[in-house]
């Protein structure tokens, strides 16, 4: 997920974070076409998220200049590269004695300074959270990041199939991935496959649900498949222009939200001896993929079991927020025609 910095500067910047049990990894992407000797990125980390008004032993302040010089870190722990629009700073910060794991919270702030401002004009650094610019001595206004597991990943192979609700032989080239129940002992599940060609994404979703119910008033209370797309893979906590929700019932009745619309979807549904099979072709809204591109994807299986009981299966996002929050979607990678190892 890319997070944008704020401020009055004419430039722009964003950052991403990753983690493992040894290090916190940070990538800062700065849009600043004119290089200056004073261009710099300041990274502030409060490893125990103490939010104190003075520095403690776990707190870090790292300065990395566009020129490649740095303060507060070792040469081997960072790298600076020029890009077409500016430059990127990549670094890692060891956890030290902290036992980092999923759910752990870290205090963080990023500040980006455009050194090209004139001597009489004050600098207006970009920042993430602390608008007072007091990060050097006060960690109480840092933002907070929470460590999360790596999203599940799947692959869409290149190819074209006819949308008729049947599993054509070409679907065997696509590696399946499973949509599992959420902490439930019974209910519908599914196995999905993905394919792409041109501006189209194809999905085959084989649902196991022997008791199909589609006579409820609300479409989300009917047995159905929901497809969530985040085409720019921004992983935002809200829907953007590119984000979409397609819902296809076991009777092949479709409903839409976000940027989804009837003109973008062709679908077919066939009943099987164990449930139903959904085949869909979705016209991508803002992306014409190439091999190696990615988008955010999640799948949800709605299972009405009768008697007011409703179960849900999901691929990656275990929350009930997929309809408005893309930050927990899985990752779909577009690959060529060859078969690639699976990743679930």
């Amino acid at each position: 997920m890319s997070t944008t910095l704020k401020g009055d500067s004419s430039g722009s910047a964003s950052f991403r974070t990753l983690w493992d049990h040894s290090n916190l990894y940070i990538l800062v992407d700065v849009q600043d076409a004119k290089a200056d000797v004073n261009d710099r990125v300041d990274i502030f980390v409060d490893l125990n998220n103490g939010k104190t008004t003075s520095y403690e032993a776990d707190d870090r302040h790292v300065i990395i200049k566009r020129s490649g010089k740095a303060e507060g870190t070792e040469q081997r722990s960072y790298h600076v590269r020029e890009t077409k629009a500016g430059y990127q700073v990549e670094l890692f910060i060891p956890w030290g004695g902290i036992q980092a794991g999923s759910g752990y919270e870290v205090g963080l702030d990023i500040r980006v300074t455009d050194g090209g401002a004139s001597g009489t004009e004050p600098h207006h650094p970009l920042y993430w959270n602390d608008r007072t610019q007091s990060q050097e001595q006060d960690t109480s206004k840092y933002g907070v990041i929470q460590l999360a597991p790596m999203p599940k990943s799947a692959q869409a192979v290149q190819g074209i199939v006819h949308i008729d609700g049947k599993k054509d032989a070409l679907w065997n080239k696509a590696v399946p991935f499973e949509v599992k129940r959420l902490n439930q002992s019974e209910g519908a599940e599914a196995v999905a496959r993905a394919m792409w060609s041109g501006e189209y994404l194809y999905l085959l979703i084989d649902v196991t649900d022997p008791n199909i119910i589609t006579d409820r008033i609300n479409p989300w209370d009917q047995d159905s498949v929901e497809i969530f797309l985040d085409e720019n893979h921004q992983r935002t906590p809200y829907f953007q222009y590119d984000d979409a929700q397609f819902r296809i019932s076991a009777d092949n009745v479709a409903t839409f939200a976000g940027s989804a619309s009837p003109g973008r979807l062709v679908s077919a549904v066939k009943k099987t001896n164990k449930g139903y099979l959904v085949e869909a072709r979705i016209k991508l809204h803002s992306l014409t993929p190439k091999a190696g591109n990615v988008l955010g994807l999640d799948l949800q299986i709605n299972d009405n079991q009768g008697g007011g009981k409703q179960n849900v299966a999901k691929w990656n996002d275990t929350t009930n927020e997929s309809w408005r929050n893309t930050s927990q979607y899985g990752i779909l990678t577009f690959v060529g025609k060859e078969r690639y190892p699976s990743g679930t």
Side-chain angles (χ1 to χ4, degrees):
M1 176 177 172
S2 179
T3 302
T4 302
L5 302 189
K6 299 171 287 188
D8 298 326
S9 174
S10 59
S12 62
S14 61
F15 71 93
R16 298 173 184 262
T17 56
L18 292 171
W19 67 279
D20 59 23
H21 293 293
S22 299
N23 303 296
L24 173 66
Y25 302 89
I26 303 170
L27 174 65
V28 184
D29 187 14
V30 182
Q31 309 296 302
D32 179 6
K34 184 179 179 181
D36 186 271
V37 67
N38 292 315
D39 290 343
R40 61 188 266 182
V41 173
D42 289 64
I43 296 100
F44 305 91
V45 181
D46 177 8
L47 289 174
N48 68 5
N49 195 31
K51 291 201 167 296
T52 55
T53 55
S54 60
Y55 266 36
E56 297 181 322
D58 65 289
D59 302 325
R60 303 284 186 271
H61 177 199
V62 177
I63 303 170
I64 301 179
K65 294 187 176 181
R66 187 170 184 167
S67 63
K69 296 181 179 179
E71 300 175 20
T73 188
E74 299 178 11
Q75 178 68 40
R76 65 181 182 85
S77 66
Y78 73 93
H79 180 70
V80 181
R81 69 176 66 88
E82 289 290 319
T83 65
K84 290 183 179 180
Y87 66 103
Q88 289 182 334
V89 169
E90 189 175 21
L91 76 155
F92 68 83
I93 296 178
W95 292 116
I98 291 176
Q99 301 298 313
S102 182
Y104 186 80
E105 293 185 341
V106 180
L108 176 71
D109 218 336
I110 309 284
R111 195 168 67 202
V112 173
T113 300
D114 179 3
S118 67
T120 57
E121 178 185 348
H123 294 288
H124 296 286
L126 299 168
Y127 62 93
W128 180 38
N129 202 70
D130 185 357
R131 67 178 67 245
T132 70
Q133 308 290 338
S134 60
Q135 296 99 327
E136 284 89 348
Q137 62 272 352
D138 183 349
T139 71
S140 66
K141 301 179 185 67
Y142 290 6
V144 179
I145 58 173
Q146 185 178 73
L147 307 187
M150 185 68 180
K152 293 180 180 178
S153 62
Q155 294 167 331
V157 296
Q158 195 170 10
I160 301 174
V161 291
H162 181 61
I163 304 300
D164 55 8
K166 300 177 182 178
K167 183 184 176 183
D168 298 343
L170 189 58
W171 277 116
N172 292 324
K173 298 290 185 180
V175 180
F177 54 101
E178 297 180 330
V179 186
K180 292 285 194 178
R181 293 186 295 266
L182 298 181
N183 303 317
Q184 298 154 357
S185 59
E186 59 182 15
E189 293 187 319
V191 175
R193 298 170 189 259
M195 195 178 299
W196 69 282
S197 180
E199 58 187 344
Y200 293 102
L201 172 66
Y202 299 85
L203 291 165
L204 184 74
I205 306 168
D206 189 2
V207 180
T208 299
D209 182 2
N211 182 27
I212 296 176
I213 298 176
T214 56
D215 61 353
R216 299 300 184 262
I217 295 176
N218 296 323
W220 52 85
D221 291 331
Q222 302 174 21
D223 287 342
S224 58
V225 166
E226 297 191 33
I227 302 164
F228 301 95
L229 298 181
D230 174 17
E231 293 187 26
N232 65 10
H233 198 221
Q234 289 288 303
R235 304 186 70 81
T236 54
Y238 48 83
F239 260 36
Q240 296 179 312
Y241 70 95
D242 64 295
D243 303 323
Q245 176 188 12
F246 297 85
R247 184 187 296 108
I248 305 168
S249 78
D251 288 338
N252 198 28
V253 177
T255 49
F256 310 89
S259 69
S261 64
R264 296 179 57 193
L265 175 69
V266 176
S267 63
V269 178
K270 294 287 186 182
K271 302 299 193 298
T272 67
N273 58 9
K274 62 178 182 177
Y276 60 101
L277 185 70
V278 176
E279 191 173 32
R281 186 189 75 185
I282 297 173
K283 184 176 182 180
L284 296 174
H285 176 62
S286 57
L287 172 68
T288 301
K290 299 178 181 178
N293 289 161
V294 300
L295 59 70
L297 170 74
D298 226 307
L299 300 178
Q300 176 173 317
I301 311 300
N302 298 316
D303 179 19
N304 190 320
Q305 297 189 319
K309 187 176 181 181
Q310 188 91 9
N311 283 346
V312 172
K314 300 288 285 287
W315 179 41
N316 189 79
D317 185 1
T318 59
T319 75
N320 191 34
E321 299 290 304
S322 302
W323 58 278
R324 63 181 177 183
N325 184 338
T326 71
S327 66
Q328 302 301 311
Y329 290 3
I331 301 172
L332 183 70
T333 302
F334 297 93
V335 298
K337 296 180 180 179
E338 300 82 0
R339 182 167 178 166
Y340 287 76
S342 64
T344 57

